[in-house]
Amino acid sequence: MSPLLVLVGPPGAGKSTVGQVLAERLSVAYRDTDADIEALAGKPIPDIFVDEGEPHFRELEVRAVAAAVAEHDGVVALGGGAVLAEATRELLADCRVVYLEVALADAVKRVGLDVPRPLLAVNPRATWRELMEARRPLYQEVATITVDTHGRTPEQVAEATIDALDLRK
């Protein structure tokens, strides 16, 4: 079993929202690995970062992605940094992966600067740019397709994804 598709991209790309729309349109289940991590740890992600640190969170993330890829046959949304782990990138090699590309201005509007995002806590705009410089090549490496989210609603992004992957029933 493997997911119908996996969504990757930075914070603010719309992975969770678009993932839910895609799952509904494709009549499959939706799974968010960030929610899996919170359930596994018994606490919110920002608390994991504070209490155990980013390396511990990344270990949980690799396990959550491995479980989702092995057990879920619907739509899976990964956390923005999941692609940092080589083990995760290897797991994604056999999956249909959609990279949701987003511009900084759009990400800022979507994420908001007061939302608890551990890696964006200090100087969010500059930090987001730095994250993207490091992560963009990894998103591109794992992606089957890239969908630009600029100026599109989640429904339009979902439709573009379905069309690009030829998933019409």
Side-chain angles (χ1 to χ4, degrees), residues 13-44:
K15 298 177 299 292
S16 298
T17 305
V18 171
Q20 291 169 7
V21 172
L22 279 165
E24 185 177 314
R25 296 245 169 110
L26 297 168
S27 301
V28 296
Y30 170 74
R31 184 165 178 173
D32 185 322
T33 58
D34 280 351
D36 292 349
I37 294 165
E38 289 183 341
L40 182 65
K43 61 176 97 172

Side-chain angles (χ1 to χ4, degrees), residues 90-109:
E90 289 172 6
L91 282 170
L92 296 176
D94 295 328
C95 296
R96 192 181 285 136
V97 179
V98 179
Y99 164 33
L100 296 182
E101 194 170 45
V102 63
L104 172 61
D106 291 333
V108 167
K109 283 183 219 160

Side-chain angles (χ1 to χ4, degrees), residues 12-150:
K15 298 177 299 292
S16 298
T17 305
V18 171
Q20 291 169 7
V21 172
L22 279 165
E24 185 177 314
R25 296 245 169 110
L26 297 168
S27 301
V28 296
Y30 170 74
R31 184 165 178 173
D32 185 322
T33 58
D34 280 351
D36 292 349
I37 294 165
E38 289 183 341
L40 182 65
K43 61 176 97 172
I45 288 172
D47 291 352
I48 300 168
F49 269 77
V50 170
D51 297 345
E52 286 91 23
E54 185 177 357
H56 178 71
F57 169 78
R58 296 295 174 203
E59 288 173 26
L60 295 176
E61 187 171 51
V62 168
R63 293 193 345 228
V65 172
V69 167
E71 303 164 359
H72 191 76
D73 61 358
V75 175
V76 176
L78 303 189
V83 296
L84 294 170
E86 185 175 342
T88 294
R89 294 193 307 277
E90 289 172 6
L91 282 170
L92 296 176
D94 295 328
C95 296
R96 192 181 285 136
V97 179
V98 179
Y99 164 33
L100 296 182
E101 194 170 45
V102 63
L104 172 61
D106 291 333
V108 167
K109 283 183 219 160
R110 293 175 189 166
V111 172
L113 299 181
D114 56 349
V115 176
R117 303 252 180 181
L119 293 180
L120 299 179
V122 179
N123 195 348
R125 285 179 174 84
T127 303
W128 192 91
R129 272 193 209 97
E130 290 171 18
L131 287 176
M132 281 307 296
E133 285 177 25
R135 295 177 183 178
R136 183 175 290 111
L138 301 177
Y139 295 138
Q140 292 169 334
E141 173 187 326
V142 301
T144 307
I145 65 163
T146 298
V147 177
D148 187 355
T149 65
H150 182 69

